[in-house]
């Protein structure tokens, strides 16, 4: 089994990971530059405080050396902290959880010759709340966790980080760092900026106007409650992809504004061209929205669902994910339902319709109790 | 009691209103230019088909004349249809449900001398799905329903429409038409455009990138699945407020793009000013987000909740809303829980903390079974 796992940085992600690993019986060592943060994480049961940034290297006994270090530090410093940890633990694999991957990798390569033991990672499992207090052991369940190993990374290091990630129920996606940064610019960082732009306009609302807020504006602005300092670092670290993406958004916005200006200045005319511009943009949104996969989107594909009984024991869910992967089936969505006091959980695995039968047979052959 | 109510236009809103009124025992007459649409609405139980646009005025017997006509027609034609209905039913009050209010009122005044019987209305109860098939009897429950009577409207007409609106569980907000249009530009139409802009960018995603979609982008783009033709008409009819609002959004977006361009071109510098710009925008979003009232927002105010047993009989919920209004207490949010086979529902009414005691006493005095 994996471990001991050392987690450096006990915010939302670090603490949630600690909780998930402790639930599996994995020894977890916690560290954070802020004593209050790490004390809270330990009190929540996310692991044991071991060492502080001030403790000299090698202060802990050999037997307690971590096999994996997870750096959950802010994007601005993550590269430097990864390099420090690589130097401090010469036998450990080091990964991180930052929302950007190219800039940290560049930093690690500049600062460390041990970068073959570094595997960049990014769990897509944020919440609009941050900090240890918002941590949840099931935060990663069924969520994508991108790994972005550089070409020259030790394959054994990648395998170890993959095992860690799958043990907490996340689904591994392998990508190049640049490919990751371009993808999250569109699916994560740009929506964040849009939510902030919309929410910023709400500042000037009268109470009578604010009272008309419906589910639409609530949904659009939910993530606008996110941490400004964290998001400044993320956007700054992904400035190249973000700049390109927002310029494309502005081109569409300019078209919309020009169409509205025409309609405003000529209220009694047909203005079919202006209306066409607006209709095209809303239609493009319809099409783009359907690109989001899984049950929460409006994807035209109806997924097949396979239900699997999962013994409530450490490692069983990871074994299920491995067996699904071995069957060559891609997971579109995953939900886990636990019943209080029962020794089993029910995992509901969504897959493309064609894969349903394949998965049912493959899991049945491997001894899982399945039905659809 | 109100009724017969004539509903012209059996899309999502018209059909939902019919279902809600029929559940209260109110006679409902349905009409729609599309025979298939009105047939579906009748089959769903939203009312009876009476007449068609082709039937000559007065074709129905006097006894069946509606007391209220609700025009649920698209924004482009709503003014003309209201004027027609005012002419056709000389004793009826006419209201509408369009998402814009100034332009239809101008049209009605141009086309009809009977505009003192017209009370503009707008239920804020849309869904991303449209059409009769998506209709729900409880669509308006606890939702705002704006009424925008012009200064010269018959007060009795306003009272009748208010009774109709409250009978289906909606909460009346009185506003001037221009005030309404400016408010919905910010809380509804601008978020819709933002969702479409974000979703439009998703069109170019590879499947590998789309697979990284998380709850954030799903929430931001949920309403991007809305009907392009309907939204073209809404945005065109509210072009003045929308133009102003989107120009303000573009100014913030320009600042963000300039900051990212600086960070991109000078990756090794501090760029504190550029970072400041980004941080300020995200912070402004934090502040604006808190302006959204009610349980779904992140409003700093914790509301008090008063629970009221409501007999499961037509008109009881409307009586409760009237009694709450008479107590001078503003409803922040309302949820209704029904238990299968029980003669009572439980209404949970959220109010500002100071009003909790006032409301408890006022409702108790009026014979309601209350607790908090």
């Amino acid at each position: 089994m994996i471990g001991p796992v050392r987690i450096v940085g006990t915010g939302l992600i670090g603490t949630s990971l600690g909780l998930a690993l402790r639930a599996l019986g994995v020894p977890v060592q916690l560290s954070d530059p802020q004593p209050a943060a790490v004390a809270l994480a330990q009190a929540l049961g996310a692991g044991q405080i071991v060492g502080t940034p001030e403790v000299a290297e090698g202060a802990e006994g050999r037997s307690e050396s971590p096999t994996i270090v997870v750096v959950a530090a802010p994007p601005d410093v993550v590269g430097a902290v990864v390099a420090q940890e690589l130097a401090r633990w010469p036998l450990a694999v080091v990964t991180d959880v930052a929302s950007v991957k190219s800039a940290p990798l560049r930093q690690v390569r500049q600062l460390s010759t041990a970068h073959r033991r570094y595997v960049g990672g990014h769990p897509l499992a944020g919440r609009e709340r941050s900090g240890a207090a918002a941590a949840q052991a099931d935060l990663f369940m069924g969520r994508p966790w991108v790994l972005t190993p550089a070409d020259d990374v030790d394959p054994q290091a990648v395998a170890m980080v993959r095992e860690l990630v799958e043990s907490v129920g996340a689904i591994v996606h392998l990508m190049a760092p640049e490919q990751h940064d371009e993808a999250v610019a569109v699916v994560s960082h740009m929506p964040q900026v849009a939510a902030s732009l919309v929410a910023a306009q709400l500042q000037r609302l009268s109470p009578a106007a604010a009272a008309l807020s419906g589910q639409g504006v609530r949904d659009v602005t939910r993530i606008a409650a996110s941490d400004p300092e964290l998001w400044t670092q993320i956007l700054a670290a992904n400035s190249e992809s973000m700049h390109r993406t927002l310029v494309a958004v502005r081109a569409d916005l300019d078209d919309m504004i020009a169409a509205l200006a025409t309609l405003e200045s000529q209220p009694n005319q047909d203005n079919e061209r202006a209306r066409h511009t607006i209709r095209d943009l809303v239609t493009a949104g319809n099409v783009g929205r359907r690109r989001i996969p899984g049950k929460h989107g409006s994807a035209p594909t109806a997924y097949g669902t396979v239900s699997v009984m999962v013994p409530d024991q450490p490692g069983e869910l990871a074994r299920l994910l491995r067996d699904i992967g071995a069957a060559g089936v891609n997971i579109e969505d995953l939900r886990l339902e636990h019943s209080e006091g029962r020794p089993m959980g029910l995992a509901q695995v969504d897959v493309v319709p064609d894969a349903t039968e394949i998965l049912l047979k493959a899991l049945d052959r491997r001894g899982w109790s399945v039905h659809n």
Side-chain angles (χ1 to χ4, degrees), chain A:
Chain A
M1 276 291 285
I2 45 177
V5 174
R6 171 171 159 85
I7 296 174
V8 182
T10 54
L12 170 70
I13 299 290
T15 306
S16 294
L17 181 61
L19 291 171
L21 291 171
R22 287 303 302 133
L24 298 170
V26 176
V28 176
Q29 304 167 1
L30 300 174
S31 172
D32 193 288
Q34 293 185 36
V38 72
L40 175 57
Q42 176 173 274
L44 291 168
Q48 293 290 317
I49 299 174
V50 176
T52 69
E54 290 73 35
V55 171
E57 284 177 29
E60 287 99 16
R62 204 86 192 109
S63 64
E64 283 200 331
S65 286
T67 57
I68 303 184
V69 179
V70 181
V71 174
D76 274 1
V77 299
V78 67
V81 177
V82 165
Q84 270 173 29
E85 296 292 321
L86 285 167
R88 185 171 179 184
W89 310 102
L91 299 177
V93 169
V94 179
T95 186
D96 74 313
V97 298
S99 312
V100 286
K101 299 271 61 85
S102 303
L105 177 63
R106 270 197 304 273
Q107 263 189 300
V108 172
R109 286 177 170 279
Q110 280 165 12
L111 298 170
S112 172
T113 55
H115 49 76
R116 293 189 64 236
R117 287 187 283 119
Y118 165 61
V119 180
H122 177 208
L124 282 108
R127 304 185 64 194
E128 67 277 24
R129 294 175 55 207
S130 58
Q136 300 174 328
D138 63 353
L139 187 69
F140 310 105
M141 192 67 65
R143 304 292 313 136
W145 190 315
V146 183
L147 298 181
T148 58
D151 292 339
D152 58 354
V153 165
D154 179 1
Q156 183 61 26
V158 181
M160 283 174 66
V161 176
R162 176 188 273 275
E163 187 183 353
L164 175 84
V165 166
E166 291 183 340
S167 74
V168 299
I171 297 162
V172 168
H173 294 245
L174 285 171
M175 285 188 171
E178 303 73 27
Q179 189 193 358
H180 166 274
D181 287 0
E182 181 68 22
V184 293
V186 179
V187 301
S188 168
H189 304 174
M190 184 261 294
Q192 173 68 44
V193 171
S196 296
L197 288 167
V198 170
Q201 294 297 320
L202 303 180
Q203 291 179 108
R204 63 190 173 90
L205 284 181
S206 68
L212 303 188
S213 302
Q215 199 53 44
V217 68
R218 290 181 212 274
D219 285 349
V220 171
T221 62
R222 184 182 60 83
I223 54 174
S226 298
D227 178 21
E229 179 51 35
L230 174 64
W231 275 96
T232 302
Q233 294 191 22
I234 292 172
L235 296 172
N238 202 13
S239 57
E240 194 183 321
S241 293
M242 277 309 290
H243 184 253
R244 188 166 47 242
T245 303
L246 290 184
V247 165
V249 171
R250 182 171 58 185
D252 286 348
L253 178 58
D254 282 343
D255 289 347
M256 176 67 89
I257 288 174
L260 289 167
T262 302
L263 289 160
E264 184 186 1
S265 62
Q266 305 169 347
N268 295 318
Q269 291 180 32
D270 251 5
N271 294 309
E272 197 36 56
R273 243 184 69 188
R275 283 170 175 263
H276 205 78
T277 300
I278 297 175
R279 199 178 294 113
D280 278 356
L281 181 72
V282 181
T283 303
N286 286 183
V287 174
R289 166 71 183 167
R290 286 197 290 269
R291 297 301 304 272
I292 301 178
K295 72 176 173 121
H296 305 289
S298 317
T301 318
Y303 291 111
T305 301
V306 175
S307 299
V308 192
M309 299 304 298
V310 182
D312 204 0
Q313 287 161 21
E316 284 299 295
L317 188 67
R319 185 165 71 86
L320 173 63
L321 294 178
R322 269 198 309 276
D323 287 354
I324 295 171
V329 170
N330 201 32
I331 299 174
E332 303 294 339
D333 207 345
L334 173 72
R335 299 172 297 287
L336 192 69
E337 284 166 36
H338 271 294
S339 302
E340 196 73 34
R342 289 183 54 197
M344 289 277 183
L346 184 71
Q348 296 190 283
V349 183
D350 289 347
V351 297
V352 293
D354 288 353
T356 314
E357 277 305 309
I358 299 167
L359 186 59
L360 279 169
K361 281 180 191 157
L363 291 180
D364 181 62
R365 212 160 39 230
R366 284 160 194 260
W368 294 95
S369 166
V370 289
H371 48 276
N372 76 331

